[in-house]
Amino acid sequence: MFKTIKKDLPASIVVFFVALPLCLGIALASGAPLFSGLIAGIVGGIIVGALSGSNIGVSGPAAGLAAIVLAAIGTLGGYQNFLVAVVLGGVIQIIFGVLKAGVIGYYFPSSVIKGMLTGIGIIIILKQIPHFFGYDPDPEGDFAFFQVDGQNTFSEIFDTINHITLGSALVGIVGLGILILWDRVLSKKAKIFQLIQGPLVAVVFGIIFYVLTNSHDTLAIAESHLVSVPVPEDTASFFAQFSFPNFAVITNPEIWVVAFTIALVASLETLLCVEATDKLDPHKNVTPTNRELLAQGTGNIISGMIGGLPITQVIVRSSANIQSGGESKMSAIIHGFFLLISVILIPRLLNMIPLSVLAAILLVVGYKLAKPSLFKKMYDLGWKQFIPFTVTVLGIVFIDLLYGIGLGLGVGIIVILLKSYQNSHFLHIEDKSNGKHKIKMTLAEEVTFFNKGAILKELDSLPRDTYLELDLLKTRYLDNDIIEILEDFLFKAKERNIDIKLVSKRGVEENPESFIKFFRERPKSSLSLS
């Protein structure tokens, strides 16, 4: 891990600047203490980063859980009661890992995963536009279409036109210019520009601008447009920010319902993020998913025990890590230490960072996730890839992350069923032979009940006085439902003067009834013809 420190250290700084406003914003959107988001970010970086098998994944509080947390704090009677559910959720995640439930992540189609990345990229861009221009009523980390401030994603953007803050907008524009210049030009000129990342320079510029214009009538940036890290007066007030679970309510059934919900949603988000980051990883490392569930579960237990929000692996931070050149888990761990050290030693300095310059950093991250060329690439792959991809993107933008993924997965399953329906067999019609149409039907390698409708329709449409050759030579699996269709068709074939020859690995069957009888006497053999 230390061999890649030259790349991991600069990347960890970028991830730190991306994570800081999101930790605070997600806590605010969740109705939790601001410090709870920082705790989750620190635990996600240091603890989960150390235990995880992912080289480039970064964990922390997740926007997808904000609505669940907000509702749970109210129904469970307070934040300390809610922390019990976070701890129990972590225990359940560890059980998921022991039971090897991590394999679930591999069953999501590639088109849905790419749609998730693109959708998140678009939503990052849309959500950061108001912050970029100094309009901050909606907290960072609120990724849902219908926002906690009563607006929606697009109405907030239109409303921004009337609430542009000149100083914040100027910092955002210059900061974005620095990032583009660094990425496109300077990073290719000398190694010093690769070691010192553009986001760090942009943030330093933002702090200097704030200090120099603090008393200016027009350009001054108000505190409401700056990062807002809690500032303890002394050591006692710092430790007073930690909360601890009230285990007296552990017998409350509602606690267990929320715990299972957190475990399920957090595990699903993590597995999807793992799949997505592995696709983005230039080195194509494969993350052990069961180990990831164990790491996330441990992280949630520790986070819940000291007052932190639930943790998942987060695609925004992970993609920022990849884009910044992070190569090992050290970047995630170091970013966690940066969060810890900064909130202890320099909270006042952090509170001089304009949100608009952090929005500029996130705009670049979002653009790299949702490049226009990706839409053309997915379109060129055909409708079977493009439709689930598009549905996932639209679902994420217009509803939220989990609904978008669910819709994309649903459409992907429909596409699979449709193609399975279409690809169950191949039909070849030859000229008349001895006064009868000769038709050859070749069944696919695997024929299941999904193919039932297509085969039934084809057999029923055969004309009278037909000679049918049914080729099963390549068929390895023949479902019992298909056997029943063939059995029923034998009766209809006699009435319609259709002669049948069946070709299988058992040989040529001029009498298909013996083939059916073979399967009826040995029903288990219907599972395989090989």
Side-chain angles (χ1 to χ4, degrees):
M1 291 190 292
F2 291 99
K3 294 179 181 178
T4 59
I5 195 69
K6 288 183 179 180
K7 293 185 177 180
D8 291 332
L9 182 59
S12 67
I13 296 172
V14 178
V15 178
F16 164 71
F17 286 127
V18 168
L20 180 63
L22 291 179
C23 287
L24 296 167
I26 291 168
L28 188 60
S30 302
L34 288 181
F35 197 66
S36 66
L38 294 171
I39 293 171
I42 292 166
V43 173
I46 299 173
I47 304 299
V48 178
L51 297 176
S52 171
S54 174
N55 286 341
I56 36 77
V58 184
S59 298
L65 286 168
I68 295 171
V69 174
L70 181 63
I73 292 173
T75 57
L76 298 180
Y79 190 66
Q80 289 183 318
N81 294 349
F82 167 74
L83 290 177
V84 178
V86 177
V87 174
L88 293 175
V91 173
I92 295 170
Q93 280 188 291
I94 289 177
I95 294 172
F96 286 165
V98 172
L99 295 177
K100 303 190 182 303
V103 70
I104 294 171
Y106 298 130
Y107 288 93
F108 285 82
S110 174
S111 57
V112 174
I113 299 298
K114 290 177 181 176
M116 180 185 80
L117 290 169
T118 306
I120 290 173
I122 292 172
I123 205 69
I124 288 172
I125 293 170
L126 295 175
K127 293 292 186 180
Q128 292 306 313
I129 289 173
H131 298 295
F132 183 80
F133 289 106
Y135 185 49
D136 304 299
D138 190 50
E140 292 273 11
D142 182 11
F143 284 2
F145 181 73
F146 294 104
Q147 301 174 168
V148 296
D149 67 341
Q151 299 269 23
N152 64 53
T153 301
F154 293 105
S155 68
E156 186 94 359
I157 293 173
F158 291 129
D159 209 25
T160 301
I161 297 171
N162 301 319
H163 297 87
I164 294 176
T165 303
L166 185 59
S168 293
L170 185 59
V171 167
I173 292 168
V174 174
L176 185 61
I178 291 171
L179 294 171
I180 294 172
L181 178 66
W182 224 267
D183 186 51
R184 298 290 179 87
V185 181
L186 296 180
S187 63
K188 298 177 176 64
K189 296 290 185 180
K191 287 187 177 180
I192 185 67
F193 296 116
Q194 297 174 7
L195 184 62
I196 301 174
Q197 291 278 318
L200 177 60
V201 178
V203 168
V204 171
F205 163 76
I207 294 173
I208 293 171
F209 182 92
Y210 166 74
V211 172
L212 294 178
T213 62
N214 196 24
S215 58
H216 195 278
D217 293 337
T218 308
L219 297 178
I221 301 175
E223 286 188 10
S224 59
H225 304 309
L226 303 171
V227 169
S228 181
V229 175
V231 181
E233 297 299 326
D234 50 37
T235 304
S237 59
F238 173 77
F239 284 105
Q241 297 178 98
F242 291 89
S243 302
F244 304 99
N246 175 25
F247 284 107
V249 298
I250 197 168
T251 56
N252 183 353
E254 291 185 353
I255 294 286
W256 288 91
V257 171
V258 172
F260 188 80
T261 303
I262 289 172
L264 193 62
V265 175
S267 298
L268 183 58
E269 283 203 26
T270 292
L271 293 173
L272 289 168
C273 183
V274 164
E275 186 76 6
T277 51
D278 283 353
K279 288 186 180 298
L280 292 174
D281 185 2
H283 300 288
K284 300 304 176 188
N285 294 300
V286 178
T287 301
T289 52
N290 296 315
R291 177 177 169 181
E292 188 65 29
L293 289 178
L294 294 173
Q296 296 291 333
T298 303
N300 274 316
I301 291 172
I302 295 173
S303 182
M305 289 296 290
I306 58 176
L309 290 173
I311 295 169
T312 73
Q313 194 177 121
V314 187
I315 192 62
V316 180
R317 283 162 239 204
S318 301
S319 58
N321 187 27
I322 296 166
Q323 293 168 16
S324 304
E327 289 194 357
S328 82
K329 60 171 65 181
M330 283 305 298
S331 59
I333 297 171
I334 294 170
H335 118 276
F337 278 110
F338 279 150
L339 284 172
L340 176 61
I341 294 168
S342 62
V343 298
I344 295 174
L345 300 181
I346 55 169
R348 287 184 173 83
L349 181 62
L350 295 179
N351 289 344
M352 295 180 184
I353 302 174
L355 290 173
S356 58
V357 75
L358 298 179
I361 296 172
L362 285 165
L363 284 174
V364 173
V365 172
Y367 174 77
K368 288 183 177 181
L369 284 174
K371 290 182 178 179
S373 59
L374 181 61
F375 285 87
K376 183 179 185 304
K377 180 180 178 181
M378 295 303 295
Y379 181 80
D380 291 342
L381 289 174
W383 68 270
K384 295 188 294 296
Q385 294 291 313
F386 186 69
I387 291 179
F389 167 83
T390 305
V391 169
T392 304
V393 171
L394 293 175
I396 289 172
V397 172
F398 287 101
I399 309 176
D400 66 18
L401 177 63
L402 290 178
Y403 273 99
I405 293 169
L407 288 171
L409 180 61
V411 172
I413 290 172
I414 291 172
V415 170
I416 291 170
L417 293 178
L418 181 61
K419 294 309 295 180
S420 179
Y421 176 90
Q422 294 173 341
N423 296 334
S424 60
H425 62 279
F426 172 76
L427 207 64
H428 177 68
I429 303 175
E430 299 180 3
D431 293 334
K432 284 187 176 182
S433 176
N434 298 325
K436 288 192 173 187
H437 287 284
K438 185 178 181 181
I439 298 176
K440 182 178 181 180
M441 179 185 289
T442 304
L443 295 189
E445 187 174 357
E446 293 188 2
V447 190
T448 69
F449 69 93
F450 289 138
N451 314 121
K452 188 174 177 178
I455 294 175
L456 186 61
K457 179 182 176 183
E458 207 70 73
L459 291 174
D460 285 344
S461 66
L462 291 177
R464 295 179 63 87
D465 304 321
T466 298
Y467 181 81
L468 173 65
E469 181 179 313
L470 197 58
D471 187 347
L472 278 73
L473 282 174
K474 295 181 180 179
T475 305
R476 297 179 58 197
Y477 178 92
L478 193 63
D479 199 16
N480 189 66
D481 287 45
I482 309 303
I483 301 290
E484 289 182 354
I485 287 176
L486 295 176
E487 188 175 26
D488 293 341
F489 180 71
L490 291 179
F491 177 77
K492 297 177 183 178
K494 291 177 181 178
E495 293 183 338
R496 291 156 57 187
N497 196 26
I498 297 175
D499 294 330
I500 303 172
K501 181 174 79 172
L502 193 144
V503 182
S504 72
K505 292 179 180 179
R506 295 180 67 237
V508 177
E509 305 275 358
E510 294 287 353
N511 181 17
E513 284 87 347
S514 63
F515 178 84
I516 300 297
K517 184 180 179 182
F518 172 75
F519 282 98
R520 283 286 168 254
E521 290 175 351
R522 298 175 60 194
K524 288 184 179 179
S525 63
S526 64
L527 298 177
S528 176
L529 298 182
S530 58

